[in-house]
Amino acid sequence: MATPLSVTVRHLVNPSEAEVERILDVLQAAFVKDPFTNFLVGGDWSLVRPNFEFCVRAALLGGEVHIATLGPEVHDIIGVTVWYGPGQSPGSTEEQREVGSKVFFSKCPEELRKWWLEYFISQMERLADESLGPGFKESQWCLLLFGVVPEHQRKGVGKAMMKVGEERAKADGVSIVVETTTQVDLLIYKRMGFENKGQTTVESPQFGRASMYQLLKILNV
């Protein structure tokens, strides 16, 4: 591992549009080779940015977006985490659902939109309920997105962002839950102290099947 970078991690409040665009750039760069991202957009990479925009803008309305920065400028943002605290989710308010419809679902082909709304979201909910117990996920801190630009990966940026998230969860006296999809990511999360509590198989008309894992990290409060 390279020498750890000195970064500042902070909760982003009332961001400028330039900051939002930079966050989307970071996430796109971080997930550019991720097969499950391709799976989620039906192979249409023009939908990746709108999907990330939905996740980010929904969290700005009813969640938290944390950024890791090297300095004060917008281009200094090199890492992003998107969180939902107890009682929060990407679609828990009408305003969030409107954002999702406007920036992502309205751009999806009908088949992909139906797959998301009638199948994929319910599969994620079922995975959480069967792995953790009904309603447990919604009472914890949930990590939805976690990305660092490739040139600064393996330099401690992810650990710094996770530490801030853990502090928020500890303050609420709860644990952290996250879903992941690859064996590599599963190993990374296990090294951070997460346990694999369950898995499911998600099916896509275009890409067949993919595995999803439900992870939990119990924090010492």
Side-chain angles (χ1 to χ4, degrees):
M1 183 174 176
T3 302
L5 287 175
S6 176
V7 296
T8 298
V9 180
R10 62 182 176 91
H11 175 198
L12 189 64
V13 179
N14 297 323
S16 66
E17 280 303 305
E19 288 174 316
V20 172
E21 291 299 317
R22 174 57 182 171
I23 286 170
L24 299 180
D25 290 342
V26 169
L27 291 171
Q28 277 195 281
F31 285 88
V32 69
K33 295 182 180 180
D34 180 53
F36 197 73
T37 299
N38 192 51
F39 189 90
L40 290 177
V41 296
D44 184 352
W45 278 86
S46 71
L47 294 173
V48 171
R49 194 177 186 91
N51 183 25
F52 287 146
E53 184 176 1
F54 164 38
C55 296
V56 170
R57 291 192 186 277
L60 291 170
L61 291 170
E64 291 191 8
V65 177
H66 297 174
I67 57 172
T69 67
L70 294 173
E73 304 300 328
V74 170
H75 61 76
D76 291 323
I77 299 172
I78 61 169
V80 180
T81 48
V82 175
W83 298 90
Y84 286 94
Q88 298 176 325
S89 73
S92 58
T93 70
E94 182 61 33
E95 194 173 8
Q96 287 172 310
R97 291 190 288 274
E98 288 179 1
V99 166
S101 177
K102 179 179 179 181
V103 305
F104 178 54
F105 292 119
S106 66
K107 299 174 183 177
C108 293
E110 180 62 22
E111 184 179 12
L112 182 62
R113 182 165 57 249
K114 288 181 65 176
W115 180 83
W116 267 86
L117 298 176
E118 298 178 9
Y119 172 74
F120 179 64
I121 293 174
S122 63
Q123 284 293 102
M124 290 186 65
E125 292 172 347
R126 182 182 303 170
L127 172 63
D129 286 346
E130 292 180 353
S131 302
L132 304 171
F136 180 84
K137 176 181 175 180
E138 290 77 13
S139 66
Q140 310 300 303
W141 270 80
C142 302
L143 177 56
L144 182 68
L145 281 174
F146 184 2
V148 178
V149 292
E151 61 267 31
H152 290 307
Q153 292 174 2
R154 301 181 65 83
K155 297 179 182 179
V157 180
K159 286 185 178 179
M161 290 193 294
M162 184 63 72
K163 181 179 179 182
V164 172
E166 289 182 2
E167 290 170 353
R168 294 288 289 112
K170 284 182 179 179
D172 285 340
V174 298
S175 301
I176 293 177
V177 297
V178 65
E179 294 85 28
T180 195
T181 59
T182 70
Q183 289 295 320
V184 171
D185 287 342
L186 189 59
L187 180 60
I188 291 172
Y189 279 115
K190 283 184 175 180
R191 288 174 177 169
M192 290 183 178
F194 284 83
E195 297 178 66
N196 180 13
K197 306 300 288 186
Q199 72 178 90
T200 191
T201 299
V202 182
E203 298 184 358
S204 161
Q206 291 90 351
F207 296 102
R209 298 181 174 185
S211 295
M212 285 189 66
Y213 303 93
Q214 182 70 68
L215 308 183
L216 171 69
K217 184 171 183 177
I218 299 175
L219 303 172
N220 295 319
V221 180

